[in-house]
Amino acid sequence: MAGKAGCGAGVTILAAGLLFAFASCASTPDSQAKVDAGVQAGLFEEALTRVDYERGRRGRGRVAVWNHPRNDILFYLDRGMIRHFAGLYEDSFHDLHTAERLIEEAFTRSLTQDISALMLNDTVRDYQGEAYEDLYINVFNALNLYFMGSLEGALVEIRRLNEKLNLLADRYERVARRMLDANQQLDSAGLPIEASRFSNSALARYLGILFYRAAGNPDGVRIEHEELVRAFGLAPDIYTHPIPSSVYDEISIPAGKARLNVIAFTGLSPIKVEEHIWLPLPFPPPNHSVRIALPVMLRRPQAINRVEAVVVETGERFTLELLEDMGAVAKDTFRSTYSLTVIRSAARAITRATAAAIGAQIAEETGGQGMGLAVGILGRVFAEAAERADTRVSRYFPNHALVGAVNLEPGSYTVTVFFYGSAGLVNTQSRPIEVREHTLNLKRFVWLE
């Protein structure tokens, strides 16, 4: 009778584990691939139509990334970025601002979601946003506001970003230390726990230089320039390239000249995939080890390796130089949250495995060795089925930010930008611009292939 009870309990555990695992899976529908293709081809309006279509199916039986209630931050990030590239700056601003507000609210997560995550996996929680997403929201909202005609608003966004950078390292270090103190047994388990080294953004500082110069604030320009140089020194693993040569000429513009600044974004930000690591445990087989599912951030291939700009009327040609490897920033800042994920996942997996081993021992004592083995196997199946990595992440931040500039006589010009890949010219874009003295003449180009 005891054997039957133990077997029934084991079947219940297995069924519950499979049910929970299924319920917690995050869907990645084909529509994401279609939107990716549209964005990479520069078909932003078509991509937006697809995103809005998927969002409109919310509550109609189809579980997808953009219509799932746990993924509101992802929806506003993705749509906000595509709207920016489409030139819908006001709409983009509102989407990204909403995403920023939701990220702030997500730091005060509900107790119910925390308990569910401890029992199941991180996919049952609302997506809370990655650190780099929260930072780059302000970069692109600064650009949105500039193109909407609000220079002061653009400067406010840059200041907000700098405040976030000051808080980032301290916030994650405190959280990680509390978790490590509570899980000392994990400290020597050989887990991949690292800290982010990113604490300053050259891209944000560059925009700060331009905006402060346009606002007639030389002290602001000088400080932002010093901070840009400092950013390269603080994170040599991210800034492996030299400071763009045009940066040194931004502080002083010759009298009677007007400066044309060009910024280009290429490629798409990294995505996450699931990987597994195994931890040995002091229990008899089959509970002698435990599998941990972890999200890993991977760079996506980039077709563009060189960008040049030409002022059509004068024939002046200049290369756009890499300012910030945004994909490298994404991977580096992911380290902080990744460390917390490793600690949380390991603690959860060890707890499950320990419970399975105890259950197997009880079943063996009451129903024999065969029953103990069966319950142990069922417990392991449950643990592995329930443990899934949270691979959610926004998909449409750029991979690289490149800049260049030239001094011109004030007047009307056409700027043509050439995007080159390994096989030659990939894309060409031309824009008219009225270049004026004592103001910011900034043009933004993008090719995300």
Side-chain angles (χ1 to χ4, degrees):
M1 192 71 182
K4 290 182 179 179
C7 182
V11 172
T12 301
I13 291 172
L14 174 59
L18 295 177
L19 176 63
F20 288 157
F22 176 78
S24 63
C25 288
S27 169
T28 305
D30 292 339
S31 59
Q32 276 192 299
K34 294 178 181 178
V35 174
D36 287 357
V39 168
Q40 289 178 308
L43 303 174
F44 302 121
E45 296 291 349
E46 292 183 17
L48 284 172
T49 298
R50 188 73 191 185
V51 172
D52 285 335
Y53 171 74
E54 290 295 333
R55 179 69 168 186
R57 302 183 72 177
R58 187 168 186 165
R60 299 183 186 180
R62 176 185 172 96
V63 178
V65 172
W66 291 305
N67 67 23
H68 197 288
R70 294 188 188 128
N71 298 337
D72 281 349
I73 289 173
L74 283 178
F75 167 71
Y76 288 109
L77 286 174
D78 286 343
R79 192 176 69 172
M81 288 306 302
I82 300 173
R83 282 177 159 178
H84 172 83
F85 298 135
L88 303 172
Y89 299 120
E90 185 173 358
D91 291 337
S92 173
F93 173 82
H94 289 303
D95 275 350
L96 295 179
H97 182 71
T98 299
E100 183 179 34
R101 174 178 57 79
L102 292 175
I103 288 172
E104 291 174 355
E105 293 174 359
F107 279 105
T108 55
R109 296 164 301 195
S110 71
L111 178 61
T112 300
Q113 286 194 348
D114 278 347
I115 293 173
S116 297
L118 286 173
M119 292 190 300
L120 302 176
N121 56 65
D122 290 341
T123 67
V124 302
R125 306 165 72 181
D126 290 344
Y127 183 70
Q128 299 183 356
E130 292 293 338
Y132 78 92
E133 294 169 335
D134 192 27
L135 297 174
Y136 284 138
I137 280 174
N138 299 111
V139 165
F140 284 94
N141 263 348
L143 288 171
N144 283 332
L145 287 163
Y146 167 74
F147 291 124
M148 289 162 59
S150 176
L151 180 62
E152 183 55 40
L155 280 168
V156 169
E157 293 295 324
I158 294 301
R159 295 187 195 109
R160 283 181 58 81
L161 171 54
N162 292 337
E163 290 172 1
K164 289 179 182 179
L165 285 168
N166 292 334
L167 296 172
L168 180 66
D170 182 59
R171 182 180 68 198
Y172 282 122
E173 183 178 349
R174 290 199 315 269
V175 174
R177 179 50 50 191
R178 286 200 302 269
M179 295 192 73
L180 280 171
D181 290 343
N183 296 279
Q184 286 298 320
Q185 71 272 24
L186 303 180
D187 209 6
S188 59
L191 296 174
I193 298 174
E194 299 181 80
S196 171
R197 291 183 290 273
F198 182 77
S199 60
N200 208 344
S201 169
L203 175 56
R205 300 301 185 178
Y206 177 81
L207 292 177
I209 291 171
L210 300 188
F211 296 148
Y212 277 119
R213 190 185 69 203
N217 185 336
D219 286 338
V221 172
R222 176 183 55 80
I223 292 170
E224 293 296 307
H225 190 276
E226 291 173 354
E227 287 296 323
L228 188 153
V229 174
R230 182 170 170 267
F232 274 74
L234 288 174
D237 291 344
I238 294 175
Y239 298 104
T240 59
H241 52 281
I243 296 174
S245 56
S246 63
V247 168
Y248 296 102
D249 299 324
E250 296 298 342
I251 295 179
S252 178
I253 300 171
K257 293 285 188 177
R259 190 160 180 83
L260 168 65
N261 289 93
V262 178
I263 185 168
F265 296 104
T266 62
L268 286 173
S269 54
I271 57 174
K272 295 177 188 172
V273 298
E274 181 175 294
E275 77 165 10
H276 301 139
I277 63 174
W278 294 85
L279 291 179
L281 295 175
F283 305 121
N287 306 116
H288 59 292
S289 63
V290 63
R291 188 188 72 179
I292 303 176
L294 296 171
V296 176
M297 191 167 278
L298 294 181
R299 302 289 289 264
R300 286 189 269 186
Q302 176 165 312
I304 304 304
N305 55 32
R306 183 165 60 94
V307 182
E308 290 187 348
V310 173
V311 180
V312 174
E313 287 76 9
T314 66
E316 292 181 79
R317 180 181 295 264
F318 53 99
T319 298
L320 301 188
E321 300 172 87
L322 180 62
L323 173 66
E324 187 149 291
D325 185 339
M326 301 171 69
V329 172
K331 290 198 69 175
D332 190 84
T333 54
F334 176 63
R335 295 183 187 191
S336 293
T337 52
Y338 179 73
S339 297
L340 301 181
T341 300
V342 169
I343 296 167
R344 187 168 54 244
S345 299
R348 182 170 55 221
I350 290 173
T351 299
R352 286 190 188 127
T354 301
I358 293 172
Q361 182 180 353
I362 293 173
E364 182 173 335
E365 293 173 353
T366 58
Q369 184 175 3
M371 185 56 64
L373 180 61
V375 171
I377 292 174
L378 288 169
R380 179 164 185 154
V381 169
F382 159 72
E384 294 185 3
E387 184 63 27
R388 299 186 65 86
D390 185 358
T391 57
R392 293 172 294 178
V393 70
S394 63
R395 300 181 71 84
Y396 306 116
F397 283 101
N399 189 48
H400 283 164
L402 305 99
V403 298
V406 63
N407 295 325
L408 299 168
E409 296 290 337
S412 299
Y413 297 92
T414 300
V415 182
T416 300
V417 171
F418 302 91
F419 296 88
Y420 295 95
S422 57
L425 184 64
V426 174
N427 183 258
T428 303
Q429 300 173 22
S430 294
R431 306 270 174 77
I433 184 171
E434 186 72 22
V435 179
R436 297 174 297 169
E437 285 186 273
H438 311 302
T439 189
L440 174 58
N441 308 291
L442 175 64
K443 278 294 180 182
R444 190 267 293 144
F445 295 81
V446 57
W447 190 252
L448 301 174
E449 188 178 6

